[in-house]
């Protein structure tokens, strides 16, 4: 699988963007472009889903195809494989990186999650949260827990974080059933997850119903966030910056911009962002005044030659 992954990255060399500030470790494939380009080509066949951004303008993306994790320099487009996936049964979906280089990865239908050291590529921790039907979709890091969503089960999974954010072992995993106003329906349910602006609760979007919920992390009680009638159907990745919530609406090729109150109980839709470069974006991460979104291209049949890319747009 390593040879296959390296060949895929070599194939993107002529489509990448130019050399500038290097990432640590061996890099693969770049071409000339201006700093912080609006589009960064990914390896053909990669099938991206999650994105998170760490230090030195480095984004990390996971593959739905085989679980590979790559690092991408947002200024130069230079890319490197940091962790080889375990194959198609163990995809990499939602991602979050902490300030010590630990990457938390949601594992989709495998029912698993894992934590990777981005410096070494080593898997620090792995967890089995659930068995089928399950779809571990996204993750958010709080002061005490890493919380994972399950799109097929009305519950969240929390990994207790110790001193310095160190993830606990299997005995430190909790299952938090969703109750209150939560409604589990057919199709994909809990998807993107984030913290409220005051960091006292969680925000979870239901992709099918289009409802945004505020979840008490102690009890699992979910309350609908009053958005003044706005719907978030096809809601996928969430990002909170200050009191602004960005909601990626994947199949609609849009990003809803919502102004929240501090507690996350109310909000109003203030803008909708889009780009002609979008092709089913799934998740979003911020760097400076920019938002970066991988295009999963779910409406395009995936092959080993299908092209994928990251789109940069201005953050409003």
């Amino acid at each position: 699988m390593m040879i296959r992954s390296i060949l895929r990255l070599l194939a993107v060399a002529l489509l990448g963007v130019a050399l500038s500030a290097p990432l640590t470790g061996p890099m693969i494939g770049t071409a000339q472009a201006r700093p912080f380009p609006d589009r960064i080509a990914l390896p053909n066949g990669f099938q991206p889903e999650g994105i998170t951004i760490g230090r030195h303008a480095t984004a990390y993306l996971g593959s739905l195809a085989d679980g590979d994790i790559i690092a991408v320099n947002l200024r130069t487009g230079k890319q490197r494989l940091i962790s080889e996936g375990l194959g198609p049964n163990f995809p990499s979906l939602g991602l979050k990186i902490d300030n010590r280089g630990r990457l938390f990865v949601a594992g989709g239908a495998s029912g698993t999650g894992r934590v990777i050291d981005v410096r070494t590529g080593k898997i620090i921790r792995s967890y089995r949260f659930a068995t089928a039907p399950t779809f571990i979709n996204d993750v958010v890091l709080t002061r005490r827990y890493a919380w994972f969503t399950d799109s097929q089960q009305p519950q969240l999974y929390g990994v207790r974080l110790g001193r310095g954010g160190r993830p606990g072992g299997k005995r430190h995993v909790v299952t938090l059933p969703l109750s209150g106003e939560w409604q589990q329906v057919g199709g994909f349910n809990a998807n993107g997850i984030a913290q409220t602006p005051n960091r006292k609760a969680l925000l979870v979007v239901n992709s099918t119903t289009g409802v945004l919920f505020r979840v008490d992390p102690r009890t699992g009680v979910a309350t609908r966030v009053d958005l003044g009638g706005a719907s978030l159907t096809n809601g996928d990745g969430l990002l909170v910056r200050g009191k602004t919530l960005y909601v990626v609406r994947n199949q609609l090729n849009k990003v809803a911009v919502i102004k929240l109150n501090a507690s996350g109980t109310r909000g109003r839709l203030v803008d909708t962002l889009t780009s002609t470069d979008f092709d089913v974006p799934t998740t979003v991460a911020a760097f400076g005044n920019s938002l970066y979104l991988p295009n999963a291209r779910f409406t395009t049949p995936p092959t080993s030659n299908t092209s994928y890319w990251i789109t940069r747009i201005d953050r409003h």
Side-chain angles (χ1 to χ4, degrees), residues 129-161:
F129 298 125
T131 56
T134 181
F135 197 86
I136 311 303
N137 205 330
D138 205 355
V139 58
V140 67
L141 303 181
T142 70
R143 190 169 70 88
R144 295 184 177 179
Y145 284 90
W147 290 105
F148 293 78
T149 59
D150 189 332
S151 297
Q152 296 296 312
Q153 298 287 342
Q155 54 200 26
L156 306 178
Y157 310 102
V159 174
R160 186 77 163 87
L161 303 178

mmCIF file of all heavy atoms in Angstrom, residues 129-161:
data_model
loop_
_atom_site.group_PDB
_atom_site.id
_atom_site.type_symbol
_atom_site.label_atom_id
_atom_site.label_comp_id
_atom_site.label_asym_id
_atom_site.label_seq_id
_atom_site.Cartn_x
_atom_site.Cartn_y
_atom_site.Cartn_z
ATOM 1 N N PHE A 129 -15.610 2.266 18.908
ATOM 2 C CA PHE A 129 -16.747 2.889 19.578
ATOM 3 C C PHE A 129 -18.032 2.086 19.435
ATOM 4 O O PHE A 129 -18.859 2.061 20.345
ATOM 5 C CB PHE A 129 -16.985 4.296 19.023
ATOM 6 C CG PHE A 129 -15.840 5.250 19.239
ATOM 7 C CD1 PHE A 129 -15.275 5.922 18.161
ATOM 8 C CD2 PHE A 129 -15.325 5.480 20.498
ATOM 9 C CE1 PHE A 129 -14.230 6.823 18.345
ATOM 10 C CE2 PHE A 129 -14.279 6.374 20.696
ATOM 11 C CZ PHE A 129 -13.733 7.041 19.615
ATOM 12 N N ALA A 130 -18.238 1.485 18.261
ATOM 13 C CA ALA A 130 -19.528 0.843 17.989
ATOM 14 C C ALA A 130 -19.369 -0.199 16.896
ATOM 15 O O ALA A 130 -18.350 -0.249 16.193
ATOM 16 C CB ALA A 130 -20.551 1.896 17.562
ATOM 17 N N THR A 131 -20.375 -1.048 16.749
ATOM 18 C CA THR A 131 -20.438 -2.005 15.648
ATOM 19 C C THR A 131 -21.622 -1.636 14.757
ATOM 20 O O THR A 131 -22.467 -0.815 15.122
ATOM 21 C CB THR A 131 -20.606 -3.442 16.181
ATOM 22 O OG1 THR A 131 -21.772 -3.502 17.018
ATOM 23 C CG2 THR A 131 -19.387 -3.860 16.992
ATOM 24 N N ALA A 132 -21.682 -2.235 13.589
ATOM 25 C CA ALA A 132 -22.700 -1.880 12.593
ATOM 26 C C ALA A 132 -24.115 -2.037 13.174
ATOM 27 O O ALA A 132 -24.372 -2.946 13.958
ATOM 28 C CB ALA A 132 -22.538 -2.764 11.363
ATOM 29 N N PRO A 133 -25.025 -1.123 12.807
ATOM 30 C CA PRO A 133 -24.820 0.036 11.930
ATOM 31 C C PRO A 133 -24.189 1.208 12.676
ATOM 32 O O PRO A 133 -24.642 1.583 13.759
ATOM 33 C CB PRO A 133 -26.237 0.398 11.484
ATOM 34 C CG PRO A 133 -27.088 -0.012 12.654
ATOM 35 C CD PRO A 133 -26.443 -1.237 13.230
ATOM 36 N N THR A 134 -23.149 1.764 12.099
ATOM 37 C CA THR A 134 -22.464 2.889 12.710
ATOM 38 C C THR A 134 -21.749 3.680 11.623
ATOM 39 O O THR A 134 -21.455 3.145 10.552
ATOM 40 C CB THR A 134 -21.449 2.411 13.766
ATOM 41 O OG1 THR A 134 -20.791 3.536 14.373
ATOM 42 C CG2 THR A 134 -20.370 1.533 13.131
ATOM 43 N N PHE A 135 -21.495 4.950 11.882
ATOM 44 C CA PHE A 135 -20.697 5.766 10.966
ATOM 45 C C PHE A 135 -20.094 6.903 11.786
ATOM 46 O O PHE A 135 -20.735 7.921 12.031
ATOM 47 C CB PHE A 135 -21.537 6.317 9.815
ATOM 48 C CG PHE A 135 -20.695 6.801 8.657
ATOM 49 C CD1 PHE A 135 -20.290 5.920 7.671
ATOM 50 C CD2 PHE A 135 -20.294 8.128 8.578
ATOM 51 C CE1 PHE A 135 -19.504 6.345 6.610
ATOM 52 C CE2 PHE A 135 -19.519 8.570 7.533
ATOM 53 C CZ PHE A 135 -19.120 7.678 6.538
ATOM 54 N N ILE A 136 -18.857 6.699 12.237
ATOM 55 C CA ILE A 136 -18.163 7.703 13.047
ATOM 56 C C ILE A 136 -17.712 8.811 12.098
ATOM 57 O O ILE A 136 -16.819 8.613 11.271
ATOM 58 C CB ILE A 136 -16.970 7.094 13.799
ATOM 59 C CG1 ILE A 136 -17.401 5.807 14.528
ATOM 60 C CG2 ILE A 136 -16.401 8.112 14.781
ATOM 61 C CD1 ILE A 136 -18.538 5.979 15.496
ATOM 62 N N ASN A 137 -18.348 9.985 12.220
ATOM 63 C CA ASN A 137 -18.275 10.964 11.139
ATOM 64 C C ASN A 137 -17.358 12.146 11.414
ATOM 65 O O ASN A 137 -16.636 12.599 10.529
ATOM 66 C CB ASN A 137 -19.693 11.467 10.829
ATOM 67 C CG ASN A 137 -19.827 11.977 9.420
ATOM 68 O OD1 ASN A 137 -18.877 12.473 8.837
ATOM 69 N ND2 ASN A 137 -21.017 11.855 8.859
ATOM 70 N N ASP A 138 -17.393 12.680 12.624
ATOM 71 C CA ASP A 138 -16.618 13.898 12.876
ATOM 72 C C ASP A 138 -16.172 13.915 14.331
ATOM 73 O O ASP A 138 -16.618 13.113 15.158
ATOM 74 C CB ASP A 138 -17.460 15.135 12.548
ATOM 75 C CG ASP A 138 -16.597 16.346 12.185
ATOM 76 O OD1 ASP A 138 -15.346 16.254 12.275
ATOM 77 O OD2 ASP A 138 -17.161 17.385 11.811
ATOM 78 N N VAL A 139 -15.290 14.862 14.649
ATOM 79 C CA VAL A 139 -14.711 14.941 15.989
ATOM 80 C C VAL A 139 -14.421 16.395 16.330
ATOM 81 O O VAL A 139 -14.104 17.208 15.455
ATOM 82 C CB VAL A 139 -13.416 14.087 16.070
ATOM 83 C CG1 VAL A 139 -12.386 14.524 15.040
ATOM 84 C CG2 VAL A 139 -12.821 14.116 17.472
ATOM 85 N N VAL A 140 -14.577 16.731 17.611
ATOM 86 C CA VAL A 140 -14.191 18.049 18.115
ATOM 87 C C VAL A 140 -13.412 17.847 19.410
ATOM 88 O O VAL A 140 -13.685 16.912 20.179
ATOM 89 C CB VAL A 140 -15.425 18.958 18.350
ATOM 90 C CG1 VAL A 140 -16.299 18.447 19.495
ATOM 91 C CG2 VAL A 140 -14.996 20.403 18.615
ATOM 92 N N LEU A 141 -12.449 18.717 19.653
ATOM 93 C CA LEU A 141 -11.641 18.648 20.870
ATOM 94 C C LEU A 141 -12.097 19.723 21.845
ATOM 95 O O LEU A 141 -12.174 20.901 21.489
ATOM 96 C CB LEU A 141 -10.158 18.845 20.544
ATOM 97 C CG LEU A 141 -9.558 17.874 19.523
ATOM 98 C CD1 LEU A 141 -8.073 18.174 19.328
ATOM 99 C CD2 LEU A 141 -9.770 16.429 19.943
ATOM 100 N N THR A 142 -12.412 19.306 23.060
ATOM 101 C CA THR A 142 -12.728 20.239 24.137
ATOM 102 C C THR A 142 -11.638 20.108 25.192
ATOM 103 O O THR A 142 -10.680 19.346 25.033
ATOM 104 C CB THR A 142 -14.110 19.948 24.745
ATOM 105 O OG1 THR A 142 -14.064 18.715 25.473
ATOM 106 C CG2 THR A 142 -15.179 19.847 23.656
ATOM 107 N N ARG A 143 -11.784 20.831 26.285
ATOM 108 C CA ARG A 143 -10.728 20.800 27.304
ATOM 109 C C ARG A 143 -10.592 19.433 27.935
ATOM 110 O O ARG A 143 -9.499 18.995 28.258
ATOM 111 C CB ARG A 143 -11.008 21.852 28.383
ATOM 112 C CG ARG A 143 -9.843 22.065 29.348
ATOM 113 C CD ARG A 143 -10.072 23.287 30.212
ATOM 114 N NE ARG A 143 -11.139 23.093 31.174
ATOM 115 C CZ ARG A 143 -10.951 22.572 32.393
ATOM 116 N NH1 ARG A 143 -9.754 22.162 32.770
ATOM 117 N NH2 ARG A 143 -11.971 22.453 33.219
ATOM 118 N N ARG A 144 -11.708 18.723 28.087
ATOM 119 C CA ARG A 144 -11.676 17.443 28.799
ATOM 120 C C ARG A 144 -11.916 16.217 27.933
ATOM 121 O O ARG A 144 -11.572 15.103 28.352
ATOM 122 C CB ARG A 144 -12.710 17.467 29.932
ATOM 123 C CG ARG A 144 -12.387 18.483 31.021
ATOM 124 C CD ARG A 144 -13.388 18.384 32.151
ATOM 125 N NE ARG A 144 -13.063 19.310 33.239
ATOM 126 C CZ ARG A 144 -13.778 19.440 34.346
ATOM 127 N NH1 ARG A 144 -14.876 18.708 34.506
ATOM 128 N NH2 ARG A 144 -13.418 20.295 35.275
ATOM 129 N N TYR A 145 -12.506 16.409 26.758
ATOM 130 C CA TYR A 145 -12.862 15.265 25.925
ATOM 131 C C TYR A 145 -12.625 15.548 24.439
ATOM 132 O O TYR A 145 -12.689 16.699 23.994
ATOM 133 C CB TYR A 145 -14.348 14.903 26.092
ATOM 134 C CG TYR A 145 -14.673 14.175 27.371
ATOM 135 C CD1 TYR A 145 -15.018 14.885 28.520
ATOM 136 C CD2 TYR A 145 -14.649 12.780 27.426
ATOM 137 C CE1 TYR A 145 -15.318 14.212 29.705
ATOM 138 C CE2 TYR A 145 -14.962 12.108 28.599
ATOM 139 C CZ TYR A 145 -15.292 12.826 29.736
ATOM 140 O OH TYR A 145 -15.581 12.157 30.901
ATOM 141 N N ALA A 146 -12.398 14.474 23.712
ATOM 142 C CA ALA A 146 -12.554 14.476 22.259
ATOM 143 C C ALA A 146 -13.892 13.800 21.983
ATOM 144 O O ALA A 146 -14.087 12.637 22.362
ATOM 145 C CB ALA A 146 -11.424 13.708 21.591
ATOM 146 N N TRP A 147 -14.821 14.546 21.363
ATOM 147 C CA TRP A 147 -16.169 14.029 21.119
ATOM 148 C C TRP A 147 -16.328 13.648 19.649
ATOM 149 O O TRP A 147 -16.024 14.441 18.757
ATOM 150 C CB TRP A 147 -17.219 15.068 21.492
ATOM 151 C CG TRP A 147 -17.345 15.312 22.964
ATOM 152 C CD1 TRP A 147 -16.890 16.387 23.673
ATOM 153 C CD2 TRP A 147 -17.986 14.456 23.917
ATOM 154 N NE1 TRP A 147 -17.189 16.256 24.999
ATOM 155 C CE2 TRP A 147 -17.863 15.075 25.191
ATOM 156 C CE3 TRP A 147 -18.640 13.228 23.828
ATOM 157 C CZ2 TRP A 147 -18.380 14.506 26.345
ATOM 158 C CZ3 TRP A 147 -19.149 12.661 24.980
ATOM 159 C CH2 TRP A 147 -19.021 13.292 26.222
ATOM 160 N N PHE A 148 -16.826 12.427 19.408
ATOM 161 C CA PHE A 148 -17.048 11.903 18.061
ATOM 162 C C PHE A 148 -18.544 11.734 17.813
ATOM 163 O O PHE A 148 -19.276 11.285 18.702
ATOM 164 C CB PHE A 148 -16.374 10.538 17.902
ATOM 165 C CG PHE A 148 -14.874 10.557 17.945
ATOM 166 C CD1 PHE A 148 -14.200 10.651 19.162
ATOM 167 C CD2 PHE A 148 -14.127 10.450 16.779
ATOM 168 C CE1 PHE A 148 -12.805 10.643 19.206
ATOM 169 C CE2 PHE A 148 -12.735 10.440 16.818
ATOM 170 C CZ PHE A 148 -12.074 10.538 18.040
ATOM 171 N N THR A 149 -19.001 12.067 16.602
ATOM 172 C CA THR A 149 -20.396 11.842 16.222
ATOM 173 C C THR A 149 -20.554 10.485 15.534
ATOM 174 O O THR A 149 -19.602 9.937 14.968
ATOM 175 C CB THR A 149 -20.917 12.935 15.267
ATOM 176 O OG1 THR A 149 -20.097 12.963 14.081
ATOM 177 C CG2 THR A 149 -20.906 14.294 15.928
ATOM 178 N N ASP A 150 -21.781 9.977 15.581
ATOM 179 C CA ASP A 150 -22.137 8.740 14.895
ATOM 180 C C ASP A 150 -23.402 9.033 14.084
ATOM 181 O O ASP A 150 -24.458 9.305 14.640
ATOM 182 C CB ASP A 150 -22.400 7.620 15.909
ATOM 183 C CG ASP A 150 -22.568 6.257 15.253
ATOM 184 O OD1 ASP A 150 -22.997 6.197 14.080
ATOM 185 O OD2 ASP A 150 -22.285 5.239 15.914
ATOM 186 N N SER A 151 -23.284 8.993 12.768
ATOM 187 C CA SER A 151 -24.413 9.350 11.904
ATOM 188 C C SER A 151 -25.496 8.285 11.862
ATOM 189 O O SER A 151 -26.592 8.529 11.348
ATOM 190 C CB SER A 151 -23.918 9.635 10.479
ATOM 191 O OG SER A 151 -23.043 10.746 10.463
ATOM 192 N N GLN A 152 -25.220 7.090 12.397
ATOM 193 C CA GLN A 152 -26.183 6.012 12.363
ATOM 194 C C GLN A 152 -26.761 5.662 13.735
ATOM 195 O O GLN A 152 -27.720 4.891 13.817
ATOM 196 C CB GLN A 152 -25.537 4.756 11.773
ATOM 197 C CG GLN A 152 -25.107 4.902 10.324
ATOM 198 C CD GLN A 152 -26.270 5.137 9.389
ATOM 199 O OE1 GLN A 152 -27.268 4.432 9.447
ATOM 200 N NE2 GLN A 152 -26.164 6.138 8.535
ATOM 201 N N GLN A 153 -26.196 6.217 14.779
ATOM 202 C CA GLN A 153 -26.667 5.945 16.140
ATOM 203 C C GLN A 153 -26.896 7.265 16.877
ATOM 204 O O GLN A 153 -26.095 8.190 16.738
ATOM 205 C CB GLN A 153 -25.643 5.108 16.915
ATOM 206 C CG GLN A 153 -25.363 3.737 16.337
ATOM 207 C CD GLN A 153 -26.516 2.772 16.560
ATOM 208 O OE1 GLN A 153 -27.371 2.997 17.416
ATOM 209 N NE2 GLN A 153 -26.546 1.701 15.791
ATOM 210 N N PRO A 154 -27.971 7.385 17.680
ATOM 211 C CA PRO A 154 -28.243 8.640 18.391
ATOM 212 C C PRO A 154 -27.383 8.766 19.656
ATOM 213 O O PRO A 154 -27.888 8.782 20.778
ATOM 214 C CB PRO A 154 -29.732 8.516 18.728
ATOM 215 C CG PRO A 154 -29.948 7.050 18.890
ATOM 216 C CD PRO A 154 -29.029 6.378 17.905
ATOM 217 N N GLN A 155 -26.086 8.872 19.441
ATOM 218 C CA GLN A 155 -25.170 8.982 20.565
ATOM 219 C C GLN A 155 -23.841 9.567 20.111
ATOM 220 O O GLN A 155 -23.485 9.510 18.931
ATOM 221 C CB GLN A 155 -24.945 7.617 21.221
ATOM 222 C CG GLN A 155 -24.494 6.535 20.268
ATOM 223 C CD GLN A 155 -24.742 5.138 20.811
ATOM 224 O OE1 GLN A 155 -25.627 4.905 21.633
ATOM 225 N NE2 GLN A 155 -23.935 4.167 20.378
ATOM 226 N N LEU A 156 -23.132 10.130 21.074
ATOM 227 C CA LEU A 156 -21.780 10.626 20.873
ATOM 228 C C LEU A 156 -20.830 9.738 21.665
ATOM 229 O O LEU A 156 -21.232 9.066 22.613
ATOM 230 C CB LEU A 156 -21.643 12.075 21.346
ATOM 231 C CG LEU A 156 -22.614 13.109 20.777
ATOM 232 C CD1 LEU A 156 -22.354 14.476 21.401
ATOM 233 C CD2 LEU A 156 -22.521 13.181 19.262
ATOM 234 N N TYR A 157 -19.555 9.762 21.271
ATOM 235 C CA TYR A 157 -18.531 9.022 21.992
ATOM 236 C C TYR A 157 -17.459 10.012 22.445
ATOM 237 O O TYR A 157 -16.987 10.824 21.642
ATOM 238 C CB TYR A 157 -17.913 7.942 21.104
ATOM 239 C CG TYR A 157 -18.958 7.080 20.438
ATOM 240 C CD1 TYR A 157 -19.298 7.278 19.102
ATOM 241 C CD2 TYR A 157 -19.638 6.096 21.145
ATOM 242 C CE1 TYR A 157 -20.273 6.508 18.488
ATOM 243 C CE2 TYR A 157 -20.618 5.326 20.550
ATOM 244 C CZ TYR A 157 -20.932 5.534 19.217
ATOM 245 O OH TYR A 157 -21.917 4.784 18.614
ATOM 246 N N GLY A 158 -17.114 9.921 23.715
ATOM 247 C CA GLY A 158 -16.135 10.842 24.272
ATOM 248 C C GLY A 158 -14.900 10.108 24.745
ATOM 249 O O GLY A 158 -14.990 9.098 25.445
ATOM 250 N N VAL A 159 -13.727 10.624 24.349
ATOM 251 C CA VAL A 159 -12.454 10.105 24.833
ATOM 252 C C VAL A 159 -11.918 11.108 25.850
ATOM 253 O O VAL A 159 -11.685 12.275 25.508
ATOM 254 C CB VAL A 159 -11.444 9.917 23.684
ATOM 255 C CG1 VAL A 159 -10.069 9.515 24.240
ATOM 256 C CG2 VAL A 159 -11.948 8.891 22.686
ATOM 257 N N ARG A 160 -11.741 10.650 27.071
ATOM 258 C CA ARG A 160 -11.252 11.529 28.145
ATOM 259 C C ARG A 160 -9.823 11.955 27.852
ATOM 260 O O ARG A 160 -8.982 11.149 27.464
ATOM 261 C CB ARG A 160 -11.314 10.789 29.485
ATOM 262 C CG ARG A 160 -10.960 11.662 30.685
ATOM 263 C CD ARG A 160 -12.120 12.560 31.037
ATOM 264 N NE ARG A 160 -12.002 13.111 32.366
ATOM 265 C CZ ARG A 160 -11.346 14.234 32.680
ATOM 266 N NH1 ARG A 160 -10.716 14.916 31.744
ATOM 267 N NH2 ARG A 160 -11.325 14.682 33.912
ATOM 268 N N LEU A 161 -9.576 13.250 28.004
ATOM 269 C CA LEU A 161 -8.237 13.801 27.801
ATOM 270 C C LEU A 161 -7.597 14.083 29.150
ATOM 271 O O LEU A 161 -8.216 14.696 30.028
ATOM 272 C CB LEU A 161 -8.306 15.081 26.965
ATOM 273 C CG LEU A 161 -8.977 14.951 25.590
ATOM 274 C CD1 LEU A 161 -9.012 16.304 24.892
ATOM 275 C CD2 LEU A 161 -8.263 13.915 24.719
#
